[in-house]
Amino acid sequence: MREFDLLVLGGGPGGYVAALRAAQRGLSVGLVEKERPGGVCLNWGCIPTKAMLRSAEVFQTVKAAAEYGVHAENVGFDYPAIRQRKDGIVKTLTDGVAGLLKANGVTVVEGHATFTGPATVDIHEAGPSPIAPDGPRYAAEPAARIDQATARNFVIATGSTPARLPVPGGDLPGVITSDGAFGLTEVPERIVIIGGSAVGAEWASLFHAFGSEVTIVEMQDRLVPAEDAEIGKALGRSFTQRGITVLTGASVTEITEGLRVHVGDRKLDADVVLVGVGRRPNTAALGLDAAGVATDERGFIVVDDQLRTNVAGVHAIGDVTGKALLAHVASHQGITAADVIAGHDARIDYTVVPAATFTHPEIASVGLSEAAARDAGHDIVAAKFPFSALGRARTFGDTEGFVKIVAGERHGEVLGVHIFGPSASDLITEGALAISLEATLDELADTIHAHPTLGESGMEAALTALGLPVHVPPKR
């Protein structure tokens, strides 16, 4: 019987960070992981998609080299080599995580943990790792028991898996989720993507760049519906202009043999159908009932702002809590939970959570959208600054999009920042810091920004919101 101060179940961006922080706090820590460390983010999500999107970006840039005065002939791509590069990056990072865990004295146990009580778990064989196939990574029925463990504290960090499409034909061969997309050995000639949120939009960008005929179907009235309305509409226009078919306010009713997707009166023929309609928590075979851990009506584990469940000594973090299904939120939750377990009065605040979608152009946001701010009763001012008016964007050759700031009308406090354009995922950090520090439009505008940079866009948007624009005409 293994014994620990803390046993972490799951080695994703929440679990491994929790284990590292707890070890640094002087606790004896074990981590149970059934596959490679790094979880969805490093193995099937954040990192591999961004590696492949970077290849798509390079391909598109080289094809347009003449616009920069550079001549390139016979430009093409090697999809197996793109996948190989992605695999190499993933291996480097997952090996790095494994090395960090070892260096910090964390005991890693390969397997699947199942609670047998509030303080004990059985550990079962991990079984084969379905990296290429499309299927649930957390088995409903674990394999043979190989070990047992007890701990004074637990952190459940088992993450989530893509939800399947609940329509007739949703399980036909060729209907895949984002996990299954990594198993494709060639670019599909025709692909229908169901779901226009971040996952679907990113894969639409990637496959279109490599020459696929792409149709994206979203039941809401715009793409990326969680973002500010202007962002979603701008992405829809951008996709349409580039030749991606965008169907919003539309639902798939069934998929028939031959991969014919029925969307209202439309029938879309596809070689691959990619489903990106949400995620479900990995709680199967965890034995939550044996531990007495409560879940909500969707199956997500209920936690407080210290990541405590209803069972003393049992915490939960990451996607399995359903709070915000983002890797950086999971990591922050992991740090918070580890500090709480180590005796510190740590709490997590979800009011300043940046989000990024790696389409082309990129999308990033933090804080309240314009509609959400008005719904919350704020009297606001909202202003945009276009990248087309920014010198660095011109030299960069990427001028599509804008920075939008939402602020309180009376005091100018920054309530939200929304970016559609180049390097949005990097630029959003200034917005997150501004909201976190309760900065005002005046403070953003008075901060000297380096020139020429894309970062000047935030300052310029603040100036525009103040009615003092420098590089765009004043409103009339």
Side-chain angles (χ1 to χ4, degrees):
M1 174 79 73
R2 296 174 182 262
E3 297 183 5
F4 301 97
D5 293 328
L6 169 63
L7 186 62
V8 181
L9 311 186
Y16 83 73
V17 169
L20 292 173
R21 174 57 69 92
Q24 292 163 357
R25 293 295 191 192
L27 303 181
S28 64
V29 182
L31 185 148
V32 182
E33 171 56 53
K34 71 186 295 288
E35 297 172 315
R36 298 182 298 190
V40 169
C41 181
L42 266 65
N43 290 288
W44 305 277
C46 321
I47 297 302
T49 53
K50 276 32 139 196
M52 295 176 73
L53 282 163
R54 175 58 177 161
S55 293
E57 180 183 23
V58 170
F59 176 55
Q60 293 291 86
T61 300
V62 175
K63 285 205 304 180
E67 298 176 12
Y68 299 84
V70 177
H71 297 287
E73 298 178 356
N74 300 318
V75 178
F77 65 88
D78 181 342
Y79 196 66
I82 289 168
R83 296 177 71 237
Q84 185 176 20
R85 175 180 181 270
K86 176 263 295 180
D87 291 342
I89 292 169
V90 168
K91 186 177 187 306
T92 296
L93 292 175
T94 54
D95 286 352
V97 170
L100 287 170
L101 291 167
K102 183 178 180 180
N104 282 272
V106 176
T107 300
V108 177
V109 182
E110 184 176 339
H112 175 101
T114 303
F115 282 100
T116 54
T120 57
V121 295
D122 284 346
I123 300 172
H124 303 266
E125 289 180 351
S129 176
I131 301 298
D134 185 36
R137 291 191 300 275
Y138 242 66
E141 296 296 331
R145 188 180 75 186
I146 56 175
D147 210 339
Q148 291 178 298
T150 183
R152 292 170 49 229
N153 298 278
F154 290 85
V155 168
I156 302 171
T158 49
S160 65
T161 48
R164 304 295 302 195
L165 188 67
V167 301
D171 56 354
L172 285 172
V175 180
I176 62 174
T177 65
S178 56
D179 287 358
F182 290 115
L184 296 176
T185 56
E186 58 185 24
V187 175
E189 184 176 337
R190 302 165 301 174
I191 184 168
V192 173
I193 298 174
I194 303 172
S197 294
V199 170
E202 288 185 359
W203 283 106
S205 281
L206 188 147
F207 283 124
H208 177 262
F210 288 136
S212 292
E213 179 185 312
V214 178
T215 301
I216 186 166
V217 182
E218 168 56 46
M219 67 184 300
Q220 301 296 323
D221 64 351
R222 62 184 187 274
L223 298 180
V224 288
E227 299 289 343
D228 186 271
E230 288 192 82
I231 298 285
K233 293 174 182 176
L235 180 64
R237 289 193 298 269
S238 181
F239 272 9
T240 300
Q241 289 168 3
R242 298 209 304 273
I244 296 173
T245 300
V246 177
L247 303 178
T248 54
S251 297
V252 173
T253 55
E254 67 174 327
I255 303 170
T256 52
E257 293 292 339
L259 291 188
R260 175 163 289 182
V261 182
H262 296 249
V263 183
D265 295 332
R266 293 175 180 255
K267 295 178 178 60
L268 310 172
D269 292 320
D271 301 301
V272 172
V273 177
L274 193 157
V275 177
V277 294
R279 301 185 69 85
R280 54 187 175 81
N282 287 332
T283 54
L286 279 181
L288 296 183
D289 290 342
V293 174
T295 60
D296 65 15
E297 65 279 0
R298 300 174 300 161
F300 291 98
I301 297 174
V302 179
V303 294
D304 63 12
D305 61 356
Q306 293 190 304
L307 290 312
R308 298 176 299 188
T309 70
N310 62 305
V311 177
V314 180
H315 295 66
I317 63 173
D319 287 7
V320 80
T321 69
K323 292 293 185 182
L325 278 61
L326 299 166
H328 45 282
V329 171
S331 295
H332 205 79
Q333 287 177 320
I335 290 171
T336 301
D339 282 347
V340 169
I341 291 167
H344 298 262
D345 186 25
R347 299 174 188 277
I348 189 161
D349 179 5
Y350 299 101
T351 58
V352 187
V353 175
T357 302
F358 294 82
T359 47
H360 182 78
E362 288 184 358
I363 295 168
S365 62
V366 65
L368 299 177
S369 67
E370 182 174 352
R374 294 189 192 281
D375 289 344
H378 292 284
D379 293 323
I380 66 164
V381 56
K384 293 186 295 183
F385 182 81
F387 281 103
S388 59
L390 199 66
R392 176 57 175 160
R394 287 285 176 184
T395 65
F396 205 65
D398 198 347
T399 59
E400 185 178 5
F402 54 86
V403 174
K404 177 177 181 178
I405 285 187
V406 179
E409 187 174 38
R410 182 178 179 185
H411 301 293
E413 71 278 15
V414 179
L415 300 172
V417 178
H418 309 274
I419 306 175
F420 178 63
S423 298
S425 58
D426 298 310
L427 298 176
I428 199 61
T429 301
E430 182 176 55
L433 187 62
I435 297 174
S436 180
L437 296 178
E438 300 181 351
T440 65
L441 294 173
D442 286 309
E443 289 168 329
L444 276 184
D446 290 344
T447 299
I448 299 174
H449 288 61
H451 174 79
T453 62
L454 296 174
E456 291 176 279
S457 56
M459 174 188 70
E460 295 277 6
L463 286 165
T464 303
L466 290 167
L468 301 168
V470 174
H471 290 105
V472 290
K475 284 187 177 181
R476 299 191 180 279

